Amino acid sequence: LAKTTQPISMDSYEGQEVNITCSHNNIATNDYITWYQQFPSQGPRFIIQGYKTKVTNEVASLFIPADRKSSTLSLPRVSLSDTAVYYCLVGDHTGGFKTIFGAGTRLFVKA
Amino acid sequence: EAGVAQSPRYKIIEKRQSVAFWCNPISGHATLYWYQQILGQGPKLLIQFQNNGVVDDSQLPKDRFSAERLKGVDSTLKIQPAKLEDSAVYLCASSPGTRNNEQFFGPGTRLTVL
């Protein structure tokens, strides 16, 4: 079972900021939160990873509250090319250190 | 740096036939993953290797699926015999380690079982 919950889909317009929130109530102490992006007919691509507070790179920002039970991926000024599925993952301890992909959030950016 | 390579990119077979997929991970990456992604769903982990040992194969249908990673580098995933429900994209990924490491994915092999 996936350990994360995120919206199934979101719509946005070009130039807007998009925030996708992921719930992970059972996150373990040593787990990191990782976000991947997947375009059609491609494998997922790493976007950002964090443990707590805020992480920022050239693509996105990741906000993690103190209790770490949720996280928010922030995409600034999205473009049409940001239309993709976004997956939130945390480490899963059942039977080993595997990570589990949920269904993801389908982001559709409109002109 | 070369990425994860997979072949073939596409494969069409009839049910009950056999099929094999090949993956070459990024050089030096100890961990290799095989995922199955059915249309509209997230990738499902089938098997995870650490070097040439299996870390997790709890979701691998072992009556028909098998995988090996000889010498801790390349890997093959085989389905024998294939069923209609095996139609999916099979993704290979690699990472330097296991815990909390970024995974690098290949382009995938799209399998259609008729």
Side-chain angles (χ1 to χ4, degrees):
Chain A
L1 291 177
K3 300 287 188 179
T4 61
T5 303
Q6 41 183 134
I8 294 174
S9 64
M10 295 180 68
D11 288 346
S12 182
Y13 288 94
E14 281 190 295
Q16 289 188 332
E17 178 184 75
V18 171
N19 296 308
I20 305 174
T21 297
C22 178
S23 172
H24 29 79
N25 292 319
N26 297 319
I27 188 169
T29 303
N30 295 329
D31 282 334
Y32 280 65
I33 300 149
T34 310
W35 286 80
Y36 285 83
Q37 174 191 57
Q38 187 176 28
F39 297 114
S41 301
Q42 294 185 26
R45 182 177 72 106
F46 173 90
I47 301 176
I48 197 166
Q49 184 181 77
Y51 183 79
K52 62 181 180 180
T53 62
K54 177 184 176 182
V55 179
T56 297
N57 62 22
E58 65 277 6
V59 176
S61 293
L62 180 60
F63 299 92
I64 306 168
D67 66 7
R68 303 200 330 119
K69 293 186 176 183
S70 66
S71 60
T72 299
L73 175 72
S74 181
L75 304 173
R77 298 179 298 281
V78 294
S79 63
L80 296 177
S81 62
D82 292 317
T83 293
V85 179
Y86 293 82
Y87 296 98
C88 165
L89 284 73
V90 297
D92 183 86
H93 285 258
T94 58
F97 298 123
K98 64 177 181 277
T99 51
I100 296 176
F101 285 80
T105 297
R106 297 182 177 277
L107 172 65
F108 186 68
V109 180
K110 295 178 272 191
Chain B
E1 177 182 85
V4 176
Q6 290 188 248
S7 67
R9 291 296 312 276
Y10 305 92
K11 189 72 176 180
I12 301 174
I13 62 174
E14 294 188 349
K15 60 182 179 183
R16 291 188 289 274
Q17 285 188 323
S18 301
V19 64
F21 313 125
W22 174 80
C23 173
N24 186 16
I26 292 173
S27 177
H29 279 193
T31 306
L32 186 146
Y33 312 79
W34 282 103
Y35 290 88
Q36 179 194 58
Q37 186 171 26
I38 294 172
L39 188 63
Q41 299 181 17
K44 181 180 86 170
L45 180 69
L46 293 176
I47 189 167
Q48 177 181 340
F49 292 95
Q50 175 81 5
N51 296 309
N52 61 348
V54 176
V55 173
D56 178 26
D57 62 358
S58 57
Q59 297 195 91
L60 186 73
K62 298 180 185 63
D63 58 333
R64 299 184 300 106
F65 286 64
S66 64
E68 59 181 9
R69 190 183 184 196
L70 299 177
K71 301 180 181 178
V73 182
D74 292 8
S75 177
T76 55
L77 176 70
K78 297 179 181 178
I79 307 175
Q80 179 180 10
K83 293 185 176 181
L84 297 177
E85 59 261 36
D86 297 332
S87 293
V89 175
Y90 290 85
L91 295 162
C92 179
S94 70
S95 67
T98 54
R99 192 183 188 88
N100 299 321
N101 277 160
E102 173 185 351
Q103 296 181 34
F104 296 81
F105 284 81
T109 296
R110 182 177 298 277
L111 173 68
T112 301
V113 182
L114 302 176

